[in-house]
Amino acid sequence: MRTRRPPTTGIGLGLATLYMSVIVFIPLAAIVLKSQHAGWSVFWSAITAPQAWSSLKLTIGIAALVTVVNVFMGTLLAWVLVRDNFVGKRVFDTLIDLPFALPTIVAGLVLLSLYGNNSPVHINIAYTRTAVAVALAFVTLPFVVRTVQPVLLEMDKEMEEAAASLGAGRFTTFRRVVLPNLYPAIAGGAALSFARGISEFGSTVLISGNLPGKTQVAAVQIFGLIESDNVVAAAAVSTALLVISLVVLVGIDVAQRWAVTRG
């Protein structure tokens, strides 16, 4: 027998589709169409221009590096927050979300004040690629922590106790029992971290110095193209970032499904 769907299901689906279309799908389609406004040859020339190509390579490379670091450090922080008890744990847990709440331009100003020419800790990395990496790490770390933390909270400790009773050490238990359960969450957090990293603007615009070919990230280069009234080139670079983000997100989603299927 066919089950009848309640009428609210169709209404809810329609509203959700309409909202996503207005907020996400239509603007993204407009960017892609704008990038193709002058033809494929102009699109290709825009993204392979020396300044644009350099900013794309720098952005993707540093975002990938920061994502790898976040996978290790974010997982470690989530583990400490869930499994350890220490003084100030709640404050520490709250501070993890600070990059979410803090305007990114303010984050850039804070990092420039801390690691700039007049650094109070005597560390001057301003206007270098290291500064770009630090800025991206600052704004993307919470994505991994907050994705892994709920999985650790819900994980059944009896599996770890069973492994320990069978003679498995702590590292073996983590590698063979805990890590496989965390993999989908870690992969999801890594995807979000990478996607945010390649699109970051506010935290890098001050501390990077925006040196073309050296420290200029793609988002800042797009802003410069818009200021120069080269909207088609800006849309082309934006489309390139969009495609890269989409490929990474779809690839990690496939990997997550495969991991769930293989158990």
Side-chain angles (χ1 to χ4, degrees):
M1 296 180 63
R2 295 182 179 179
T3 57
R4 296 183 60 185
R5 295 182 179 180
T8 54
T9 301
I11 297 174
L13 179 60
L15 289 174
T17 303
L18 177 62
Y19 185 80
M20 286 292 293
S21 298
V22 173
I23 300 299
V24 180
F25 300 143
I26 294 177
L28 292 181
I31 287 292
V32 175
L33 291 175
K34 188 66 177 180
S35 68
Q36 298 295 320
H37 181 71
W40 171 255
S41 59
V42 175
F43 172 85
W44 185 250
S45 298
I47 64 174
T48 56
Q51 188 172 340
W53 188 246
S54 175
S55 66
L56 284 171
K57 290 193 297 182
L58 175 67
T59 303
I60 296 169
I62 293 184
L65 176 63
V66 169
T67 299
V68 173
V69 174
N70 281 342
V71 164
F72 287 97
M73 298 308 301
T75 304
L76 175 61
L77 286 170
W79 180 275
V80 169
L81 289 172
V82 173
R83 297 297 178 90
D84 293 342
N85 291 315
F86 53 90
V87 178
K89 178 179 178 179
R90 291 186 177 180
V91 176
F92 190 77
D93 189 33
T94 303
L95 290 176
I96 294 294
D97 292 328
L98 186 60
F100 284 148
L102 192 68
T104 54
I105 191 68
V106 177
L109 181 60
V110 170
L111 292 174
L112 183 61
S113 301
L114 185 61
Y115 301 122
N117 294 326
N118 299 316
S119 170
V121 294
H122 305 290
I123 299 176
N124 183 8
I125 58 173
Y127 317 135
T128 65
R129 295 186 176 185
T130 302
V132 176
V134 171
L136 294 187
F138 177 82
V139 299
T140 59
L141 178 62
F143 287 98
V144 178
V145 177
R146 293 311 187 204
T147 307
V148 175
Q149 191 175 6
V151 179
L152 277 173
L153 286 169
E154 296 179 2
M155 186 175 296
D156 190 359
K157 293 185 179 180
E158 291 183 358
M159 295 187 297
E160 300 173 50
E161 295 172 355
S165 66
L166 294 174
R170 290 186 176 182
F171 178 75
T172 302
T173 301
F174 179 81
R175 182 173 61 89
R176 300 295 298 272
V177 177
V178 178
L179 190 58
N181 288 281
L182 292 181
Y183 173 75
I186 293 174
L192 293 174
S193 174
F194 179 80
R196 173 63 186 274
I198 66 173
S199 64
E200 181 57 29
F201 175 84
S203 65
T204 61
V205 68
L206 295 177
I207 198 170
S208 68
N210 307 322
L211 304 176
K214 296 181 179 180
T215 63
Q216 188 180 61
V217 297
V220 177
Q221 205 257 335
I222 291 170
F223 180 73
L225 289 172
I226 294 175
E227 284 193 321
S228 302
D229 200 27
N230 194 350
V231 180
V232 174
V237 179
S238 301
T239 301
L241 290 177
L242 173 64
V243 171
I244 293 168
S245 298
L246 185 62
V247 169
V248 170
L249 291 174
V250 171
I252 291 183
D253 182 68
V254 171
Q256 286 178 314
R257 294 175 183 273
W258 177 82
V260 172
T261 302
R262 295 292 298 270

